[in-house]
Short mmCIF file of all heavy atoms in Angstrom, two decimals:
data_model
loop_
_atom_site.label_atom_id
_atom_site.label_comp_id
_atom_site.label_asym_id
_atom_site.label_seq_id
_atom_site.Cartn_x
_atom_site.Cartn_y
_atom_site.Cartn_z
N GLU A 21 179.08 130.84 123.62
CA GLU A 21 179.75 129.73 123.08
C GLU A 21 178.79 128.73 122.64
O GLU A 21 178.44 127.79 123.36
CB GLU A 21 180.67 129.13 124.25
CG GLU A 21 181.60 128.00 123.76
CD GLU A 21 182.52 127.57 124.88
OE1 GLU A 21 182.61 128.23 125.94
OE2 GLU A 21 183.11 126.40 124.63
N PRO A 22 178.31 128.80 121.40
CA PRO A 22 177.23 128.02 120.78
C PRO A 22 177.44 126.54 120.92
O PRO A 22 176.41 125.74 120.85
CB PRO A 22 176.96 128.51 119.48
CG PRO A 22 177.63 129.93 119.42
CD PRO A 22 178.79 129.78 120.39
N THR A 23 178.67 126.04 120.85
CA THR A 23 178.96 124.61 120.75
C THR A 23 179.38 124.11 122.13
O THR A 23 180.04 122.91 122.19
CB THR A 23 180.00 124.41 119.69
OG1 THR A 23 181.19 125.06 120.04
CG2 THR A 23 179.54 124.68 118.34
N SER A 24 179.11 124.80 123.17
CA SER A 24 179.53 124.30 124.58
C SER A 24 178.70 123.07 124.80
O SER A 24 177.45 123.12 125.04
CB SER A 24 179.21 125.34 125.60
OG SER A 24 179.28 124.87 126.90
N ALA A 25 179.37 121.91 124.90
CA ALA A 25 178.70 120.60 125.17
C ALA A 25 178.07 120.66 126.44
O ALA A 25 176.91 120.14 126.64
CB ALA A 25 179.61 119.51 124.96
N LYS A 26 178.71 121.31 127.47
CA LYS A 26 178.07 121.27 128.85
C LYS A 26 176.90 122.24 128.80
O LYS A 26 175.90 121.84 129.51
CB LYS A 26 179.17 121.80 129.82
CG LYS A 26 178.69 121.82 131.23
CD LYS A 26 179.77 122.25 132.28
CE LYS A 26 179.33 122.11 133.69
NZ LYS A 26 180.33 122.53 134.63
N GLY A 27 176.88 123.28 128.19
CA GLY A 27 175.74 124.27 128.06
C GLY A 27 174.54 123.55 127.41
O GLY A 27 173.43 123.66 127.85
N LEU A 28 174.98 122.81 126.37
CA LEU A 28 173.81 122.12 125.54
C LEU A 28 173.37 120.98 126.46
O LEU A 28 172.03 120.78 126.43
CB LEU A 28 174.44 121.57 124.30
CG LEU A 28 174.82 122.63 123.23
CD1 LEU A 28 175.67 121.91 122.09
CD2 LEU A 28 173.43 123.17 122.63
N TYR A 29 174.14 120.26 127.18
CA TYR A 29 173.73 119.25 127.97
C TYR A 29 172.79 119.67 129.12
O TYR A 29 171.83 119.13 129.33
CB TYR A 29 174.93 118.49 128.58
CG TYR A 29 174.62 117.52 129.66
CD1 TYR A 29 174.00 116.27 129.33
CD2 TYR A 29 174.98 117.71 131.02
CE1 TYR A 29 173.75 115.41 130.38
CE2 TYR A 29 174.80 116.76 132.03
CZ TYR A 29 174.13 115.62 131.63
OH TYR A 29 173.86 114.69 132.64
N ARG A 30 173.22 120.84 129.82
CA ARG A 30 172.41 121.30 130.91
C ARG A 30 171.12 121.92 130.34
O ARG A 30 170.12 121.73 131.05
CB ARG A 30 173.22 122.36 131.59
CG ARG A 30 174.49 121.92 132.30
CD ARG A 30 174.21 121.14 133.53
NE ARG A 30 175.42 120.86 134.16
CZ ARG A 30 175.70 119.68 134.80
NH1 ARG A 30 174.85 118.74 134.83
NH2 ARG A 30 176.93 119.46 135.36
N ARG A 31 171.12 122.51 129.25
CA ARG A 31 169.85 123.01 128.70
C ARG A 31 168.96 121.93 128.31
O ARG A 31 167.70 121.99 128.52
CB ARG A 31 170.14 123.95 127.56
CG ARG A 31 168.81 124.76 127.23
CD ARG A 31 169.03 125.84 126.22
NE ARG A 31 169.45 125.36 124.92
CZ ARG A 31 169.69 126.12 123.94
NH1 ARG A 31 169.69 127.51 123.96
NH2 ARG A 31 170.11 125.65 122.75
N ALA A 32 169.51 120.84 127.80
CA ALA A 32 168.75 119.61 127.31
C ALA A 32 168.06 119.15 128.58
O ALA A 32 166.82 118.69 128.64
CB ALA A 32 169.66 118.67 126.69
N GLN A 33 168.83 118.95 129.68
CA GLN A 33 168.31 118.57 131.03
C GLN A 33 167.05 119.41 131.50
O GLN A 33 166.05 118.88 131.88
CB GLN A 33 169.28 118.52 132.16
CG GLN A 33 170.31 117.46 132.01
CD GLN A 33 171.29 117.48 133.07
OE1 GLN A 33 172.00 118.53 133.34
NE2 GLN A 33 171.45 116.49 133.91
N ALA A 34 167.28 120.70 131.37
CA ALA A 34 166.34 121.65 131.76
C ALA A 34 165.02 121.52 130.86
O ALA A 34 163.90 121.45 131.32
CB ALA A 34 166.74 123.01 131.75
N ARG A 35 165.26 121.39 129.64
CA ARG A 35 164.12 121.23 128.60
C ARG A 35 163.33 119.93 128.93
O ARG A 35 162.13 119.88 128.84
CB ARG A 35 164.64 121.36 127.30
CG ARG A 35 164.94 122.82 126.80
CD ARG A 35 165.53 122.89 125.45
NE ARG A 35 165.56 124.35 125.00
CZ ARG A 35 166.00 124.67 123.86
NH1 ARG A 35 166.34 123.78 122.95
NH2 ARG A 35 166.04 125.92 123.47
N LEU A 36 164.07 118.97 129.23
CA LEU A 36 163.40 117.63 129.52
C LEU A 36 162.61 117.75 130.77
O LEU A 36 161.49 117.45 130.80
CB LEU A 36 164.50 116.58 129.67
CG LEU A 36 163.96 115.11 129.91
CD1 LEU A 36 162.97 114.70 128.78
CD2 LEU A 36 165.08 114.10 130.24
N GLY A 37 163.19 118.52 131.75
CA GLY A 37 162.41 118.72 133.04
C GLY A 37 161.18 119.52 132.87
O GLY A 37 160.20 119.41 133.49
N MET A 38 161.24 120.49 131.83
CA MET A 38 159.96 121.19 131.54
C MET A 38 158.99 120.52 130.63
O MET A 38 157.92 121.01 130.32
CB MET A 38 160.46 122.53 130.88
CG MET A 38 161.11 123.50 131.73
SD MET A 38 161.54 125.12 131.13
CE MET A 38 162.71 124.77 129.79
N GLY A 39 159.44 119.38 130.02
CA GLY A 39 158.55 118.56 129.19
C GLY A 39 158.79 119.06 127.68
O GLY A 39 157.90 118.70 126.87
N ASN A 40 159.70 119.81 127.41
CA ASN A 40 160.02 120.28 126.03
C ASN A 40 160.93 119.21 125.39
O ASN A 40 162.16 119.33 125.31
CB ASN A 40 160.71 121.64 126.10
CG ASN A 40 161.03 122.17 124.73
OD1 ASN A 40 160.88 121.39 123.62
ND2 ASN A 40 161.49 123.38 124.66
N LEU A 41 160.29 118.10 124.90
CA LEU A 41 161.09 116.98 124.47
C LEU A 41 161.75 117.34 123.07
O LEU A 41 162.85 116.84 122.90
CB LEU A 41 160.12 115.79 124.20
CG LEU A 41 159.39 115.36 125.54
CD1 LEU A 41 158.51 114.10 125.17
CD2 LEU A 41 160.28 115.15 126.71
N GLU A 42 161.15 118.15 122.22
CA GLU A 42 161.81 118.46 120.98
C GLU A 42 163.00 119.36 121.27
O GLU A 42 164.05 119.19 120.60
CB GLU A 42 160.82 119.13 120.03
CG GLU A 42 159.77 118.15 119.48
CD GLU A 42 160.47 116.88 118.92
OE1 GLU A 42 161.29 116.96 118.07
OE2 GLU A 42 159.93 115.85 119.33
N GLY A 43 162.90 120.32 122.12
CA GLY A 43 164.05 121.15 122.50
C GLY A 43 165.10 120.39 123.07
O GLY A 43 166.30 120.56 122.85
N CYS A 44 164.77 119.37 123.92
CA CYS A 44 165.82 118.56 124.54
C CYS A 44 166.51 117.75 123.48
O CYS A 44 167.75 117.66 123.44
CB CYS A 44 165.14 117.63 125.55
SG CYS A 44 166.21 116.38 126.32
N ASN A 45 165.75 117.24 122.53
CA ASN A 45 166.31 116.49 121.42
C ASN A 45 167.31 117.30 120.57
O ASN A 45 168.37 116.86 120.31
CB ASN A 45 165.21 115.88 120.57
CG ASN A 45 165.83 114.97 119.53
OD1 ASN A 45 166.45 114.07 119.84
ND2 ASN A 45 165.40 115.23 118.26
N THR A 46 166.94 118.52 120.33
CA THR A 46 167.75 119.40 119.61
C THR A 46 169.05 119.70 120.28
O THR A 46 170.14 119.59 119.64
CB THR A 46 166.98 120.73 119.29
OG1 THR A 46 165.88 120.55 118.56
CG2 THR A 46 167.81 121.75 118.50
N ASP A 47 169.03 120.01 121.56
CA ASP A 47 170.29 120.27 122.24
C ASP A 47 171.12 118.98 122.42
O ASP A 47 172.27 119.11 122.28
CB ASP A 47 169.95 120.77 123.68
CG ASP A 47 169.36 122.24 123.64
OD1 ASP A 47 169.66 122.94 122.54
OD2 ASP A 47 168.81 122.63 124.62
N LEU A 48 170.36 117.93 122.66
CA LEU A 48 171.20 116.65 122.87
C LEU A 48 171.95 116.21 121.46
O LEU A 48 173.07 115.73 121.58
CB LEU A 48 170.20 115.55 123.22
CG LEU A 48 170.71 114.30 123.83
CD1 LEU A 48 171.64 114.51 124.85
CD2 LEU A 48 169.56 113.43 124.33
N ARG A 49 171.19 116.39 120.37
CA ARG A 49 171.87 116.09 119.13
C ARG A 49 173.10 116.91 118.94
O ARG A 49 174.17 116.50 118.45
CB ARG A 49 170.92 116.26 117.99
CG ARG A 49 169.90 115.08 117.88
CD ARG A 49 168.99 115.44 116.68
NE ARG A 49 168.06 114.35 116.46
CZ ARG A 49 168.28 113.36 115.47
NH1 ARG A 49 169.33 113.58 114.71
NH2 ARG A 49 167.39 112.45 115.36
N ALA A 50 172.96 118.24 119.28
CA ALA A 50 174.04 119.20 119.04
C ALA A 50 175.26 118.81 119.96
O ALA A 50 176.45 118.92 119.61
CB ALA A 50 173.74 120.62 119.32
N ALA A 51 174.94 118.52 121.24
CA ALA A 51 176.01 118.03 122.16
C ALA A 51 176.64 116.75 121.75
O ALA A 51 177.93 116.59 121.90
CB ALA A 51 175.40 117.98 123.58
N LEU A 52 175.93 115.87 121.37
CA LEU A 52 176.43 114.47 120.77
C LEU A 52 177.31 114.66 119.62
O LEU A 52 178.30 114.02 119.39
CB LEU A 52 175.27 113.51 120.57
CG LEU A 52 174.82 112.83 121.84
CD1 LEU A 52 173.47 112.11 121.56
CD2 LEU A 52 175.75 111.96 122.44
N ALA A 53 177.03 115.76 118.73
CA ALA A 53 177.89 116.01 117.59
C ALA A 53 179.18 116.47 117.99
O ALA A 53 180.27 116.17 117.39
CB ALA A 53 177.18 116.98 116.71
N VAL A 54 179.38 117.10 119.22
CA VAL A 54 180.62 117.66 119.70
C VAL A 54 181.31 116.53 120.50
O VAL A 54 182.47 116.35 120.33
CB VAL A 54 180.35 118.80 120.58
CG1 VAL A 54 181.71 119.28 121.23
CG2 VAL A 54 179.78 119.96 119.90
N HIS A 55 180.53 115.71 121.31
CA HIS A 55 181.10 114.67 122.07
C HIS A 55 180.26 113.40 122.03
O HIS A 55 179.50 113.14 122.84
CB HIS A 55 181.09 115.09 123.63
CG HIS A 55 182.13 116.14 123.85
ND1 HIS A 55 183.46 116.05 123.92
CD2 HIS A 55 181.91 117.46 124.15
CE1 HIS A 55 184.03 117.12 124.14
NE2 HIS A 55 183.13 118.07 124.32
N PRO A 56 180.47 112.64 120.88
CA PRO A 56 179.63 111.48 120.67
C PRO A 56 179.79 110.26 121.54
O PRO A 56 178.92 109.50 121.87
CB PRO A 56 180.00 110.99 119.27
CG PRO A 56 181.29 111.69 118.97
CD PRO A 56 181.41 112.87 119.77
N ALA A 57 180.85 110.27 122.35
CA ALA A 57 181.14 109.22 123.26
C ALA A 57 180.80 109.50 124.68
O ALA A 57 180.91 108.67 125.57
CB ALA A 57 182.57 108.63 123.10
N ASP A 58 180.29 110.68 124.95
CA ASP A 58 180.04 111.07 126.28
C ASP A 58 178.95 110.28 127.00
O ASP A 58 177.78 110.28 126.48
CB ASP A 58 179.68 112.58 126.41
CG ASP A 58 179.57 113.09 127.78
OD1 ASP A 58 178.71 112.66 128.49
OD2 ASP A 58 180.39 114.03 128.07
N SER A 59 179.25 109.63 128.04
CA SER A 59 178.29 108.72 128.73
C SER A 59 177.15 109.51 129.31
O SER A 59 176.01 108.90 129.28
CB SER A 59 178.96 107.79 129.78
OG SER A 59 179.50 108.66 130.81
N ALA A 60 177.31 110.67 129.82
CA ALA A 60 176.14 111.31 130.39
C ALA A 60 175.19 111.86 129.36
O ALA A 60 173.99 111.76 129.60
CB ALA A 60 176.70 112.68 131.09
#
Side-chain angles (χ1 to χ4, degrees):
E21 192 178 341
T23 59
S24 168
K26 185 174 182 179
L28 290 164
Y29 170 69
R30 298 288 187 215
R31 189 170 69 181
Q33 286 181 302
R35 287 178 167 181
L36 182 60
M38 292 187 293
N40 180 353
L41 303 184
E42 290 309 310
C44 175
N45 185 54
T46 299
D47 287 342
L48 194 52
R49 285 177 174 262
L52 282 165
V54 177
H55 293 285
D58 188 296
S59 61

